[in-house]
Amino acid sequence: MTEQDVKAALRAQRIETPSWAYGNSGTRFKVFAQQGVPRDPFEKLADAAQVHRFTGVAPSVSLHIPWDKVEDYTRLAEHARAAGVSVGAINSNVFQDDDYMLGSVTHPDPRVRRKATDHLLECVDVMDATGSRDLKLWFSDGTNYPGQDDIRARQDRLAEALAEVYARLTGDQRIILEYKLFEPAFYTTDVPDWGTAYAHCLKLGERAKVVVDTGHHAPGTNIEFIVAFLLREGKLGAFDFNSRFYADDDLMVGAADPFQLFRIMHEVVRGGGLDDAAEVAFMLDQCHNIEPKIPGQIRSVMNVQEATAKALLVDKDALAAAQSAGDVLGANAVLMDAYNTDVRPLLAELRTETGLAPDPMAAYAASGYAERIRAERVGGNQAGWGA
Amino acid sequence: MTEQDVKAALRAQRIETPSWAYGNSGTRFKVFAQQGVPRDPFEKLADAAQVHRFTGVAPSVSLHIPWDKVEDYTRLAEHARAAGVSVGAINSNVFQDDDYMLGSVTHPDPRVRRKATDHLLECVDVMDATGSRDLKLWFSDGTNYPGQDDIRARQDRLAEALAEVYARLTGDQRIILEYKLFEPAFYTTDVPDWGTAYAHCLKLGERAKVVVDTGHHAPGTNIEFIVAFLLREGKLGAFDFNSRFYADDDLMVGAADPFQLFRIMHEVVRGGGLDDAAEVAFMLDQCHNIEPKIPGQIRSVMNVQEATAKALLVDKDALAAAQSAGDVLGANAVLMDAYNTDVRPLLAELRTETGLAPDPMAAYAASGYAERIRAERVGGNQAGWGA
Amino acid sequence: MTEQDVKAALRAQRIETPSWAYGNSGTRFKVFAQQGVPRDPFEKLADAAQVHRFTGVAPSVSLHIPWDKVEDYTRLAEHARAAGVSVGAINSNVFQDDDYMLGSVTHPDPRVRRKATDHLLECVDVMDATGSRDLKLWFSDGTNYPGQDDIRARQDRLAEALAEVYARLTGDQRIILEYKLFEPAFYTTDVPDWGTAYAHCLKLGERAKVVVDTGHHAPGTNIEFIVAFLLREGKLGAFDFNSRFYADDDLMVGAADPFQLFRIMHEVVRGGGLDDAAEVAFMLDQCHNIEPKIPGQIRSVMNVQEATAKALLVDKDALAAAQSAGDVLGANAVLMDAYNTDVRPLLAELRTETGLAPDPMAAYAASGYAERIRAERVGGNQAGWGA
Amino acid sequence: MTEQDVKAALRAQRIETPSWAYGNSGTRFKVFAQQGVPRDPFEKLADAAQVHRFTGVAPSVSLHIPWDKVEDYTRLAEHARAAGVSVGAINSNVFQDDDYMLGSVTHPDPRVRRKATDHLLECVDVMDATGSRDLKLWFSDGTNYPGQDDIRARQDRLAEALAEVYARLTGDQRIILEYKLFEPAFYTTDVPDWGTAYAHCLKLGERAKVVVDTGHHAPGTNIEFIVAFLLREGKLGAFDFNSRFYADDDLMVGAADPFQLFRIMHEVVRGGGLDDAAEVAFMLDQCHNIEPKIPGQIRSVMNVQEATAKALLVDKDALAAAQSAGDVLGANAVLMDAYNTDVRPLLAELRTETGLAPDPMAAYAASGYAERIRAERVGGNQAGWGA
């Protein structure tokens, strides 16, 4: 790939940021409030627009319903556009109502299942209003104790709800189904791994695809293998990027294992995942518990860009030659050569070429935006998990 | 061991329940409120007294400061006594104040460290007032990102705070120091493993010992080895019992891996940990997120009793003979023979002999207590994590 | 289920033992030789026949080609029948030839792929000769270093080889495809998880099913969920039973986590997996590195029987009632009640009823067989991994 | 640190290679033989000398007794010196004799313990003859099944053997004690974690220190924390470098998680571990199962150098300032800035300045050494695990 091709690919890249990253978040032990945090969806979109303003590659924002519930979604979408961004994926939330203590669409009680499915259908209404393509489904459903519920019956209930929602989609709308090993359920989770999500999506049809959240795997799982496999099957719908040392830590993507992120992006490039036709959505899903929110998002976007740049720099011909020759060290060296390259100058150059400041972190810090929102956003209820 | 000796040991066993288990709890995603939950420390003690009433082996209750903060601790201790229980270990809490976002006793800012250490000293005051022997220290201190703080300097600060608090102890008071792999910190934790806790306790002196929380280890850790090792060193101070499938799930002890609990109790018996002289405190530390609180505690106490009964039933002579003969299958069979024994009849008999109902779960259910508190405890703020 | 039904189900159960369990095995550090170990496939079958003689439920033996390569498989099958057992699944081996250093059916070199696929086809010939129904495929294929080979291309090669072998099957023959997280490959494994095996089997057709080896998962994986899911999909082909504390330890099934084994058997019973129509093969796959082989197998068969008996004893109606009522503790208690039951008397009774000694371990020990083979099998090369 | 200081530190760095890395190795499934592999300790030393010749920082070689057993160790040491290297640490081996099936120094049988301890003492004799400073102890001792042996008694036996060997040391000789989570033992390991090794070393005295093998931890363990902690305690004796994705994979150091290696080296630099006075030995302990041996060692040495260079480049003042200001993102950015730097040009320059070729891999490939040994080393028995 020529440097021009690399730059073109980087220029075309789009990374979606999530509205909830701009609100307060924390662990079960404590949510630490930060100054200047948004108090409603409009302020969240304003903050997201800053990330796009300084990086140039984050033009859309995922919403979370009901955290981002508003009277008039058309107005919200217009507000976003005015700020320079658009509404991206709609995330359903069927885990924060008291009714969902034992599950949502897999709950033993049909009344609760109906309520949960209705919420998912309502999210499609929001998509219609905002023009969003993707309904992102994450179910916290599961059990805490052996015997608590019937594992198999819960799959039946899940399949039924998914089918109803899938039938409701129109146009190019998609269901993108997320899996997660555990948390908040501690014995079984109803969609615990990519295999389960894949099997359900297969039955739903072509517009159902799998979401890979990079923090949702068992220790030792080779995530790039899953990415390569799903791309080969045409079933990779989206990424929820973040990083982790232990469980679903939701740290900034690339902060814990930048080499893993590079390997993932290498498989994305290898499998054609950057092409528009692949319809792979690249999204962040993070919690900035102790670091400032907007800079946390900017840094994360930059980390994805750097990993992508390195993946694009891999000498494909040399790699293929070494691989087919069975040259273990040679093939590994080709990959490592790209990884060890310092791509920050290339990205700075690219930004300058497109009219951006070369260092988005410094430019944001110098912009005075942080000081302004700290001063202005006093009073009211800060957004946060559950807000 | 004769059946009489087994029964005598079971009769002498004491399991402490934690005040916070009676309040609401949850995950970062949601705390589901339950009906009848206590609204203050006095109601928590009343609930704990029910667990003792039906099991006969849970006569003390751990407090958590400031969750259980009251004006007059002498009065609280008297209230406990009147309800039939006593105040057990005092748990400090230096993780729920906004000041502690980046640490408490290991915080880079000396002002925050001073505040945190002062809280620990205040907990010793509470111990003086309540007659508690143990100050249980768990520090959520750590970092989320590489480079965020200096790992080594944090150890220096930790050592300094521990030394100051240790110097404040009088009589038979002890520091019992808990370790935890991760959460809420996601990159480093300042006391992440038993080795760290052990090294600090060694420097503090004889009245500083290690707490083994059964949910605080990396996957694959052999907990009974740690128990055996600490008992050999005279440094096992206490257990925080709970169980887990994934991370620090805080499920009912014995619910996830009853065989592991048995192996742990086998090492306790082997190492003399049931003897008074060993001063090992057996405590529960659980969160009943979705199950009712008091029955959850009763079941947990029974699970510890059953594991202990099985451990006491191990044929020590046969085991030693097979072990020294290098008879792998024979030695394993001796252990499994005890584990496979159904000890519920023995425990029912023991209860009957001591004037208790043979089935504590059924007896509690029949007592009407649950209905009463659901009716009476309306209004007010339910206790919970942070309450 | 009445006691008679439970007994009938236990009487009908069949557990296959593997020929390689009777030979020497070890770790990469050392294979410790044991006395009396078989020196050829005929002696292995003789040992396997002892396991059946004393347990009554182990009438077939898995073979491993080329470890069990003989001139005349018809004669081998007759020899087995004469000893009282039959030939079960045929296990291919494409990992112990120098050609397979970088893979077998996924190797970058088409010559090596051809050789590997030819071996698989040869295994079907052996099945034709022995009357075996199942071709068990485990591929050690993978890579050790990032970049070493193309993850996606290896899937293409795998799919091609599988399709060729599947086309060769006749009658009721099946491919049963095993997955494994890692080892001997340390970066990628070409069939690392159930999802990958499932996706390939789906494309092959109805006679391709997944093998669940209980030791082949990432830490924290909920195996019984996978079992329930695959049964629901009609894609559970077989179990390779063993147990583990860490990686693929290949210890005796039920030795590390008997509660997990019970939960797995509970899902098997729940999902109809004991029925003949389900065609689920129950096989052992273990390495008795330090314990004697035949008693190790007898103990393992008994462990599976005990877990099955407990699973059959679960009060299904009470469980369903508690589950649909959302009674978390009640439902869990129904399951635990079965688990806590001591089923050894029931199984002893069952054995006596069918003319067996009540205690297979003691009966084998008293039989003198161990002494006889130690005396007779002197000289020659002991069978072992690679023998 | 000025660039001159960085270069001086890199020039002073010493990385020891292990004799066994030059022989064949593999997994329990298969050892793949490579051409040109050494057939005796002398040829291993010749190969090790090549690694030093092209990197300039690998002047010593660890031996493994009895794998490297020779008649005359003085002659072996002279041979090493003539080839341009010296004999480094002596590794004992008490795991490959049939007597050690159930343990060595912790075996229930005193005869086996005596034999094992005598071997350790013999290793000190070898140290006397070769001038080695370090006796590296790794015990594979442990158990496979619960109940198999007495965990606590094994600690007593271990302590006794260690004390006897420690008493035999003279001059500046040291015991360096390695820990390992599991393998080859699968239930308990007698020295499973750093805490156990630390506690034993503490009792032995000042010349007993802990070895950190980077592949010997539970999933999720923060290795750099252990490094920082042991350096603070003055108890870090040595590194056994390698890398892993799953268990003790023994891949090339830096191949699986180069960022982790950098974080480890950052703590080494921070804690003074590069200073001679710290007496920290930097050793490789790897198995090149599928890649060529000598290039595998050269690449590994270079990986350690690159991580060290990056660690030296960390702007300590900026880091300290950001840390004490509680600037989470700022402090992390200082660290990442060093990590993201491409240090290969700096190292190439350094090599040129010291008379080496800038690219050791290319220089070795061009040297013809590989072709020569492939041609010459025909016949005889190749060295390997157990050879």
Side-chain angles (χ1 to χ4, degrees):
Chain A
M1 208 177 259
T2 67
E3 193 182 300
Q4 278 325 103
D5 289 341
V6 170
K7 279 188 176 171
L10 291 170
R11 217 175 276 124
Q13 189 173 29
R14 293 292 170 262
I15 300 160
E16 183 163 311
T17 74
S19 70
W20 56 96
Y22 302 99
N24 287 320
S25 62
T27 68
R28 60 174 169 149
F29 295 104
K30 172 76 176 166
V31 173
F32 294 100
Q34 295 188 12
Q35 292 184 304
V37 157
R39 294 159 302 176
D40 60 37
F42 298 92
E43 291 183 350
K44 291 185 203 171
L45 286 166
D47 288 3
Q50 294 296 311
V51 177
H52 183 49
R53 177 180 161 206
F54 292 103
T55 63
V57 294
S60 64
V61 188
S62 313
L63 299 187
H64 210 290
I65 310 297
W67 295 346
D68 295 320
K69 196 157 195 166
V70 293
E71 290 285 303
D72 182 347
Y73 288 99
T74 314
R75 204 190 122 221
L76 188 69
E78 277 161 18
H79 175 86
R81 262 190 301 279
V85 291
S86 65
V87 172
I90 300 300
N91 290 255
S92 62
N93 177 325
V94 282
F95 54 89
Q96 288 196 320
D97 187 291
D98 277 324
D99 267 341
Y100 300 142
M101 187 171 83
L102 303 181
S104 65
V105 296
T106 68
H107 197 288
D109 183 342
R111 181 191 63 80
V112 177
R113 296 203 295 273
R114 186 67 260 153
K115 172 175 170 172
T117 306
D118 284 343
H119 172 73
L120 305 186
L121 296 171
E122 181 199 336
C123 286
V124 185
D125 296 339
V126 175
M127 293 164 68
D128 290 341
T130 54
S132 302
R133 184 188 62 187
D134 291 339
L135 176 62
K136 177 137 65 86
L137 299 179
W138 171 62
F139 298 105
S140 69
D141 295 49
T143 66
N144 275 8
Y145 290 101
Q148 178 188 325
D149 200 3
D150 188 306
I151 294 175
R152 182 167 174 156
R154 292 175 79 95
Q155 289 299 315
D156 296 338
R157 300 170 199 152
L158 173 63
E160 190 182 336
L162 289 172
E164 183 176 345
V165 178
Y166 189 78
R168 165 70 180 80
L169 300 179
T170 54
D172 70 345
Q173 290 178 343
R174 305 190 303 174
I175 278 181
I176 52 177
L177 180 58
E178 195 166 339
Y179 59 90
K180 185 177 182 181
L181 179 67
F182 81 100
E183 197 212 19
F186 294 132
Y187 167 53
T188 58
T189 293
D190 292 318
V191 189
D193 54 20
W194 77 264
T196 304
Y198 167 82
H200 280 286
C201 287
L202 217 54
K203 278 168 197 160
L204 291 175
E206 289 218 340
R207 300 304 291 167
K209 302 207 172 178
V210 179
V211 179
V212 174
D213 182 305
T214 48
H216 287 189
H217 304 84
T221 302
N222 185 320
I223 299 175
E224 59 267 31
F225 176 91
I226 297 172
V227 169
F229 196 92
L230 288 173
L231 276 168
R232 184 177 176 270
E233 300 285 326
K235 280 292 183 193
L236 180 65
F239 282 100
D240 261 8
F241 280 125
N242 52 57
S243 74
R244 53 164 273 179
F245 288 97
Y246 304 97
D248 185 32
D249 305 342
D250 279 330
L251 301 177
M252 297 187 302
V253 58
D257 189 347
F259 183 45
Q260 183 190 56
L261 181 60
F262 161 75
R263 297 192 312 263
I264 289 172
M265 293 311 304
H266 170 62
E267 295 304 328
V268 166
V269 171
R270 162 66 181 89
L274 286 184
D275 302 347
D276 280 350
E279 292 188 309
V280 179
F282 296 85
M283 306 185 290
L284 303 182
D285 178 11
Q286 302 176 169
C287 296
H288 304 298
N289 295 350
I290 62 168
E291 67 272 23
K293 318 294 184 187
I294 299 171
Q297 289 287 294
I298 294 175
R299 167 61 66 205
S300 303
V301 167
M302 292 171 69
N303 285 351
V304 175
Q305 283 187 296
E306 291 174 18
T308 307
K310 291 180 178 194
L312 290 164
L313 287 174
V314 171
D315 184 336
K316 278 162 205 55
D317 296 337
L319 184 65
Q323 287 175 342
S324 60
D327 178 1
V328 176
L329 289 177
N332 177 245
V334 172
L335 200 76
M336 297 312 293
D337 190 39
Y339 178 67
N340 286 323
T341 302
D342 189 344
V343 295
R344 293 174 301 173
L346 172 75
L347 283 160
E349 193 180 295
L350 183 75
R351 288 185 195 107
T352 307
E353 286 170 15
T354 51
L356 295 170
D359 179 348
M361 292 292 282
Y364 171 75
S367 74
Y369 187 81
E371 292 73 16
R372 195 156 66 244
I373 57 176
R374 268 203 291 273
E376 288 174 6
R377 296 178 184 168
V378 174
N381 287 317
Q382 291 190 314
W385 283 53
Chain B
M1 207 178 259
T2 66
E3 193 183 300
Q4 278 325 104
D5 288 342
V6 170
K7 280 187 175 172
L10 290 169
R11 217 175 277 124
Q13 190 173 28
R14 293 291 170 265
I15 299 160
E16 185 163 311
T17 74
S19 69
W20 56 96
Y22 302 99
N24 286 320
S25 63
T27 68
R28 60 175 170 147
F29 295 104
K30 171 74 175 168
V31 173
F32 294 101
Q34 295 188 10
Q35 291 184 305
V37 156
R39 296 158 301 175
D40 60 37
F42 298 92
E43 291 183 351
K44 290 185 203 170
L45 287 166
D47 287 2
Q50 294 296 313
V51 178
H52 184 48
R53 177 181 160 204
F54 292 103
T55 63
V57 295
S60 63
V61 188
S62 311
L63 299 186
H64 210 292
I65 308 299
W67 295 344
D68 296 319
K69 198 158 193 166
V70 293
E71 290 285 303
D72 182 346
Y73 289 99
T74 313
R75 205 190 121 221
L76 188 69
E78 276 162 18
H79 174 85
R81 261 190 301 279
V85 291
S86 65
V87 172
I90 300 301
N91 290 255
S92 61
N93 178 324
V94 283
F95 55 89
Q96 288 196 320
D97 187 291
D98 277 324
D99 267 340
Y100 300 142
M101 187 171 82
L102 303 181
S104 64
V105 296
T106 68
H107 196 287
D109 183 341
R111 181 190 64 79
V112 178
R113 296 204 294 274
R114 185 66 259 153
K115 172 175 170 172
T117 307
D118 284 344
H119 172 72
L120 304 185
L121 296 171
E122 181 199 335
C123 286
V124 184
D125 296 340
V126 176
M127 293 164 69
D128 289 342
T130 54
S132 302
R133 184 189 62 189
D134 291 340
L135 175 63
K136 178 138 63 88
L137 299 179
W138 172 62
F139 297 105
S140 69
D141 295 49
T143 66
N144 275 7
Y145 290 102
Q148 179 189 323
D149 199 3
D150 188 305
I151 293 175
R152 182 167 175 156
R154 292 176 79 95
Q155 289 298 316
D156 296 338
R157 299 170 199 151
L158 173 63
E160 190 182 336
L162 289 173
E164 184 176 344
V165 178
Y166 189 78
R168 165 70 181 80
L169 301 179
T170 55
D172 69 346
Q173 289 177 344
R174 305 189 304 176
I175 278 180
I176 52 177
L177 180 58
E178 196 165 339
Y179 59 89
K180 184 175 183 181
L181 180 67
F182 81 100
E183 196 212 18
F186 295 132
Y187 167 53
T188 58
T189 293
D190 292 318
V191 189
D193 55 19
W194 77 264
T196 305
Y198 168 82
H200 280 286
C201 286
L202 216 54
K203 277 166 196 161
L204 291 175
E206 290 219 338
R207 301 302 292 167
K209 302 205 172 179
V210 178
V211 180
V212 174
D213 182 304
T214 48
H216 286 188
H217 302 85
T221 302
N222 185 319
I223 300 175
E224 59 267 31
F225 177 90
I226 296 172
V227 169
F229 196 92
L230 288 173
L231 276 169
R232 183 176 177 270
E233 300 285 327
K235 279 295 182 190
L236 179 64
F239 282 99
D240 261 9
F241 280 125
N242 52 57
S243 73
R244 55 164 272 176
F245 287 97
Y246 303 97
D248 186 31
D249 306 341
D250 279 330
L251 301 177
M252 298 187 301
V253 58
D257 189 346
F259 183 46
Q260 182 189 56
L261 181 61
F262 162 75
R263 298 192 311 263
I264 290 172
M265 292 311 302
H266 171 62
E267 294 305 326
V268 167
V269 171
R270 162 65 181 89
L274 286 183
D275 303 346
D276 281 350
E279 292 188 310
V280 178
F282 296 85
M283 306 185 291
L284 303 182
D285 178 11
Q286 301 175 170
C287 295
H288 303 298
N289 295 351
I290 63 167
E291 68 272 23
K293 318 293 184 185
I294 298 172
Q297 289 286 294
I298 294 174
R299 167 62 65 207
S300 302
V301 167
M302 292 171 70
N303 284 352
V304 175
Q305 283 187 296
E306 291 173 19
T308 308
K310 291 179 178 195
L312 290 163
L313 287 174
V314 171
D315 184 337
K316 279 162 205 58
D317 295 337
L319 184 64
Q323 287 175 340
S324 61
D327 178 1
V328 175
L329 289 177
N332 178 244
V334 171
L335 201 77
M336 296 313 292
D337 190 39
Y339 179 67
N340 286 324
T341 302
D342 188 343
V343 295
R344 293 175 300 173
L346 172 75
L347 283 161
E349 191 180 297
L350 184 74
R351 289 186 194 108
T352 306
E353 286 170 16
T354 50
L356 295 169
D359 179 347
M361 292 292 283
Y364 172 75
S367 75
Y369 186 82
E371 292 74 16
R372 195 156 66 245
I373 57 177
R374 267 203 291 273
E376 288 174 6
R377 295 178 184 169
V378 174
N381 286 316
Q382 291 191 314
W385 284 51
Chain C
M1 208 178 258
T2 66
E3 193 182 300
Q4 277 325 103
D5 289 341
V6 171
K7 279 187 176 173
L10 290 170
R11 217 175 276 124
Q13 189 173 29
R14 293 291 170 263
I15 300 159
E16 184 163 310
T17 73
S19 69
W20 56 94
Y22 302 99
N24 287 320
S25 62
T27 68
R28 61 175 169 147
F29 295 105
K30 171 75 177 167
V31 173
F32 294 101
Q34 294 188 12
Q35 291 184 306
V37 156
R39 295 158 301 175
D40 60 37
F42 298 92
E43 291 183 351
K44 290 185 203 172
L45 287 167
D47 287 3
Q50 294 295 312
V51 177
H52 184 47
R53 178 180 160 204
F54 291 104
T55 63
V57 294
S60 64
V61 187
S62 311
L63 299 187
H64 211 291
I65 309 298
W67 295 345
D68 296 319
K69 196 158 195 166
V70 291
E71 291 284 306
D72 181 347
Y73 288 100
T74 313
R75 205 190 122 220
L76 188 69
E78 277 162 19
H79 174 85
R81 263 191 300 280
V85 291
S86 65
V87 172
I90 300 300
N91 290 256
S92 62
N93 178 324
V94 281
F95 54 89
Q96 288 197 319
D97 187 292
D98 277 324
D99 267 341
Y100 299 141
M101 187 171 83
L102 302 181
S104 65
V105 296
T106 68
H107 196 288
D109 183 343
R111 182 190 63 80
V112 177
R113 296 204 294 274
R114 186 66 257 153
K115 172 175 169 172
T117 306
D118 284 344
H119 172 72
L120 304 185
L121 296 171
E122 182 199 335
C123 286
V124 185
D125 295 340
V126 175
M127 292 164 68
D128 290 341
T130 54
S132 303
R133 183 188 63 188
D134 292 341
L135 175 63
K136 178 137 64 86
L137 299 180
W138 171 62
F139 296 105
S140 68
D141 294 50
T143 66
N144 276 7
Y145 290 101
Q148 178 188 325
D149 200 3
D150 188 305
I151 293 175
R152 182 167 174 156
R154 292 176 78 96
Q155 290 298 316
D156 296 337
R157 299 169 199 152
L158 173 64
E160 189 182 338
L162 288 173
E164 183 176 346
V165 178
Y166 189 78
R168 165 68 181 80
L169 300 180
T170 55
D172 69 346
Q173 290 178 343
R174 307 190 302 176
I175 278 181
I176 52 176
L177 180 59
E178 195 166 339
Y179 59 91
K180 186 177 181 181
L181 179 67
F182 81 100
E183 196 212 20
F186 294 131
Y187 167 53
T188 58
T189 293
D190 292 318
V191 190
D193 53 20
W194 76 264
T196 305
Y198 167 82
H200 280 286
C201 286
L202 217 54
K203 277 167 197 161
L204 291 175
E206 291 219 338
R207 301 304 291 166
K209 302 208 171 178
V210 178
V211 180
V212 174
D213 182 304
T214 48
H216 287 188
H217 303 84
T221 303
N222 184 322
I223 299 175
E224 58 268 30
F225 176 90
I226 298 172
V227 169
F229 196 92
L230 288 173
L231 276 169
R232 183 176 176 272
E233 300 285 326
K235 279 295 183 191
L236 179 64
F239 282 100
D240 261 8
F241 279 126
N242 51 57
S243 74
R244 55 164 271 177
F245 287 97
Y246 303 97
D248 185 32
D249 306 342
D250 279 331
L251 300 177
M252 297 187 303
V253 58
D257 189 346
F259 183 46
Q260 182 190 56
L261 181 60
F262 162 75
R263 298 193 312 263
I264 290 171
M265 292 311 303
H266 171 62
E267 294 304 328
V268 167
V269 170
R270 162 66 180 90
L274 286 184
D275 303 346
D276 280 351
E279 291 189 310
V280 178
F282 296 86
M283 306 185 290
L284 303 182
D285 178 11
Q286 302 175 169
C287 296
H288 304 298
N289 294 351
I290 63 168
E291 67 271 22
K293 318 293 183 187
I294 298 172
Q297 288 287 294
I298 293 174
R299 166 62 64 206
S300 302
V301 168
M302 292 171 69
N303 285 352
V304 175
Q305 284 187 295
E306 291 174 19
T308 308
K310 291 179 178 194
L312 290 164
L313 287 174
V314 171
D315 184 336
K316 278 162 207 56
D317 295 337
L319 184 65
Q323 287 175 341
S324 60
D327 178 0
V328 176
L329 289 177
N332 177 245
V334 172
L335 201 76
M336 296 313 292
D337 190 39
Y339 179 66
N340 287 323
T341 302
D342 189 344
V343 296
R344 293 174 301 172
L346 172 75
L347 284 161
E349 194 180 295
L350 184 74
R351 287 185 195 109
T352 305
E353 285 170 16
T354 51
L356 295 170
D359 179 348
M361 291 293 282
Y364 171 75
S367 75
Y369 187 81
E371 292 73 16
R372 195 156 66 245
I373 56 177
R374 268 203 290 275
E376 287 174 6
R377 295 177 184 169
V378 173
N381 287 317
Q382 290 190 316
W385 284 52
Chain D
M1 208 178 259
T2 66
E3 192 182 302
Q4 278 324 105
D5 289 342
V6 170
K7 280 187 175 173
L10 290 169
R11 218 174 276 124
Q13 190 174 27
R14 293 290 170 265
I15 299 160
E16 184 163 311
T17 73
S19 69
W20 55 96
Y22 302 99
N24 287 319
S25 62
T27 69
R28 60 175 170 147
F29 295 104
K30 171 75 176 168
V31 173
F32 294 101
Q34 294 188 10
Q35 292 184 305
V37 156
R39 295 159 300 177
D40 60 37
F42 297 92
E43 290 183 350
K44 291 185 202 170
L45 287 167
D47 288 2
Q50 295 295 312
V51 177
H52 184 47
R53 179 180 159 203
F54 291 104
T55 63
V57 294
S60 63
V61 188
S62 311
L63 299 187
H64 211 292
I65 309 299
W67 295 345
D68 296 320
K69 198 157 194 167
V70 292
E71 291 285 304
D72 182 347
Y73 288 99
T74 313
R75 204 190 122 223
L76 188 69
E78 277 162 18
H79 174 86
R81 261 190 301 280
V85 291
S86 65
V87 172
I90 300 302
N91 290 255
S92 62
N93 178 323
V94 283
F95 54 89
Q96 288 196 319
D97 187 292
D98 278 324
D99 267 341
Y100 299 141
M101 186 170 84
L102 303 181
S104 65
V105 296
T106 67
H107 196 287
D109 183 343
R111 181 190 64 78
V112 177
R113 296 204 293 274
R114 187 66 259 154
K115 172 174 169 173
T117 307
D118 283 344
H119 172 72
L120 305 185
L121 296 171
E122 181 199 334
C123 286
V124 185
D125 296 340
V126 175
M127 293 164 69
D128 290 342
T130 54
S132 303
R133 184 189 62 187
D134 291 342
L135 176 63
K136 178 139 62 87
L137 299 179
W138 172 62
F139 297 105
S140 68
D141 296 50
T143 66
N144 275 8
Y145 290 102
Q148 178 189 325
D149 200 3
D150 188 306
I151 293 175
R152 182 167 174 156
R154 291 175 80 96
Q155 289 298 316
D156 296 338
R157 298 170 200 152
L158 173 63
E160 190 181 336
L162 289 172
E164 184 176 345
V165 178
Y166 189 78
R168 165 69 181 79
L169 302 178
T170 56
D172 70 345
Q173 290 177 344
R174 305 190 303 176
I175 277 180
I176 52 177
L177 180 59
E178 196 166 338
Y179 58 90
K180 184 176 183 181
L181 180 67
F182 81 100
E183 197 213 18
F186 293 132
Y187 166 54
T188 59
T189 294
D190 293 318
V191 189
D193 54 20
W194 77 265
T196 305
Y198 168 80
H200 280 286
C201 286
L202 216 54
K203 278 168 196 160
L204 291 175
E206 291 218 338
R207 301 305 291 167
K209 301 205 172 179
V210 178
V211 179
V212 174
D213 182 305
T214 48
H216 286 189
H217 303 84
T221 302
N222 185 319
I223 299 175
E224 59 268 32
F225 177 90
I226 297 172
V227 169
F229 196 92
L230 288 173
L231 276 169
R232 184 177 177 269
E233 300 285 326
K235 280 294 182 191
L236 179 64
F239 282 100
D240 261 9
F241 280 125
N242 51 59
S243 74
R244 54 163 271 177
F245 287 97
Y246 303 96
D248 185 32
D249 306 342
D250 280 330
L251 301 177
M252 297 187 302
V253 59
D257 189 346
F259 183 45
Q260 182 190 56
L261 181 61
F262 162 73
R263 298 193 311 263
I264 290 172
M265 292 312 302
H266 171 62
E267 294 304 327
V268 166
V269 171
R270 162 64 181 91
L274 286 183
D275 303 345
D276 281 351
E279 292 189 311
V280 178
F282 296 85
M283 306 185 290
L284 304 181
D285 178 11
Q286 302 175 169
C287 296
H288 304 298
N289 295 351
I290 62 167
E291 68 272 23
K293 318 294 182 185
I294 297 172
Q297 289 287 293
I298 293 174
R299 168 62 64 205
S300 303
V301 167
M302 292 171 70
N303 285 352
V304 175
Q305 283 186 297
E306 291 173 19
T308 307
K310 291 179 178 195
L312 290 164
L313 287 173
V314 171
D315 183 336
K316 278 162 205 58
D317 295 338
L319 183 64
Q323 287 175 341
S324 60
D327 178 1
V328 175
L329 289 177
N332 178 244
V334 172
L335 201 76
M336 296 313 292
D337 190 40
Y339 178 66
N340 286 324
T341 303
D342 189 344
V343 295
R344 294 174 299 173
L346 172 74
L347 283 161
E349 192 180 297
L350 184 75
R351 287 186 196 108
T352 307
E353 286 169 15
T354 51
L356 295 169
D359 180 348
M361 292 293 283
Y364 171 76
S367 75
Y369 186 82
E371 291 73 17
R372 196 156 67 245
I373 57 176
R374 267 204 290 274
E376 287 174 6
R377 294 178 184 169
V378 174
N381 287 316
Q382 290 190 315
W385 283 52

